[in-house]
């Protein structure tokens, strides 16, 4: 019997969505144990003066709870 | 690179939805830092004896994590 | 064991959404017993000559059936 | 035979959602004719230092095209 | 005025979905107070060699925060 | 040419979801004729003191209207 | 202040979807007053021996309640 | 590299949905170039005195922008 | 105990949506047995030079598998 | 690099939903290799003369393709 | 009080989705002022002779209207 | 009159989502003719020991059936 929690984080990057995903997983692992995976719920970009300043992803991160 | 968390809270008021939103944000700020905003996911009311006893909102609250 | 019915009504107000919700619950209670609550499914406004003439909400109203 | 267009706008207020809806309809009427109504697609708030700074609604505004 | 939090957990069982729901609620109560209820968001099964090895449910668990 | 109506009911059980579905269909048949079937729209549980007190299902029940 | 109800019916035809819609509205008017309109929620067909035997539509019918 | 815009229009007909679609596309072509296609987002009917007075479709029309 | 498969096909017609549905069911029956019915998931049109060239429907076709 | 296919089946049982899930997985394994799991997309029941005659589930079954 | 518009564009690239997003934002800035950001609504690819010929994204672009 | 089928596959890559899309299209073309395109339904990642081990996409692949 395994119990996992699913938490939503948003993470950004200045270069692209895949980099934003990696940043998010990296940060999640700093505070959570047993991170199993994530579903990318949203892809958005912020813009200023005609340029993309940030790529953002909202991730639903699943991590298994210790018994 | 910023990482934020999104957490779902529900908050109530006896007077209206906007008051319920304010209550929720106020309570969130008691335990969370850098609250950036919220999306109102649901509006519901509870009733008893023909009257509205509670206005409830479910809020997806975003707060930025410290590095 | 409780059985409840969920019925959809739309109700309007000339002053605002919360007033429209109250009107809807009030009217529901005129014909239904044991109204327990409602989920606000939709918020819409009607306009004429540049002004909002009606605020409308669609409510999913739950009421418990007598045994 | 009537043809209408549906356009999405977001509008804000510092006091509440209903005020944000009124601001949006008012602004829409400055540039569009025959505004018939709007569906409130989203309710969000922005926060700073623990307080709500802006109430925002995304409105799908319907206006009838002249023949 | 009550404030509640909604958190997503996934829990498994080797015998069935209802057992997985009970496991999830039991585990939630080990770390959370005032668990009021849960909505079953997803039902999934894992399989190996033609057999169901795990029944999994994703639960949105609501628990009331102390003032 | 057949015309059917679809009505939403919620029904509970203290033992499980399938029992809640049976209770709902049984109750529907007490007041409706020609019940053809139902779609289970939602599965929820209520909890008190760490235990599941009620299993609830929301059913969209289809019944054929007499000509 | 107007209050309307929204009820879901499904209606069929052996010739096509538009005919099924007309059948549904016609039947609704036999039992309901002030039918204002309907949203076509679903289009389905039944088949036997390789042929379409029924066109079915699920309609969300809105009718205004008398005061 | 092609860039297209997607705009939502609603169009009506007194005879049927397919006619309403044709009316919408015809009108779109009066003001837009390079209309490539449309997705029918909604089918609705208006009624008066028990009869269908208008068939309405909401179309998401795609048209390619000139470079 | 019956097991059915659900497969998605898209089919077109130059005259209308209902014709496209009939084309799709006809083609499905050329390769599948026991076709029971279909849900119309999407209605789209293609356009060229201001005219509708194709009506397309996406159908979720259900067919019962032999034991 | 793994490639999997996801196929939708519906399966029934006369005793309950969990049994219907087992029937579906069992049947899927008769014709597919490497079945990894399934998501329960829909729960429905058929009724006759006031009784539930069939419990049905629609399953999205994932199976890994051989290289 | 700020009012923004949200418009849907689709843009393509022959190399990848992130490039398609950049193309879309670049084109949007040629005709719109104050582009604040975009939500990536859809990712699709076109294929010919077994190869991906175009990566396409549908973007919901938000731009603030001048007062 | 063209008839196409839409099938769901999931494909992975160890380097990124776009690579996973290319892998999926390549594999689809090994068994299917006339692949016209695909819609990316889901983006997920698997993780182990704090690292992303697989990027996965679920693709709805459309291929035209021969007459």
């Amino acid at each position: 019997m395994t119990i996992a929690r699913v938490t939503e984080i948003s993470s950004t990057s200045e270069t692209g969505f895949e980099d934003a995903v990696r940043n998010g997983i990296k940060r999640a692992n700093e505070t959570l144990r047993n991170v199993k995976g994530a579903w990318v719920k949203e892809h958005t970009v912020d813009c200023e003066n005609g340029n993309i300043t940030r790529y953002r992803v909202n991730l639903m991160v699943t991590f298994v709870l210790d018994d």
Side-chain angles (χ1 to χ4, degrees), chain A residues 35-47:
Chain A
V35 171
K36 286 300 162 199
W39 168 56
V40 184
K41 179 178 168 185
E42 306 264 16
H43 298 78
T44 51
V45 291
D46 299 340
C47 303

Side-chain angles (χ1 to χ4, degrees), chain A residues 40-62:
Chain A
V40 184
K41 179 178 168 185
E42 306 264 16
H43 298 78
T44 51
V45 291
D46 299 340
C47 303
E48 265 164 48
N49 307 319
N51 300 306
I52 296 176
T53 52
R54 269 180 303 279
Y55 296 84
R56 180 181 300 100
V57 289
N58 279 56
L59 302 176
M60 302 296 286
V61 178
T62 298

Side-chain angles (χ1 to χ4, degrees), chain A residues 10-23:
Chain A
S10 86
S11 70
T12 65
S13 152
E14 288 164 23
T15 61
F17 291 119
E18 296 192 2
D19 190 54
V21 171
R22 283 189 283 273
N23 290 341

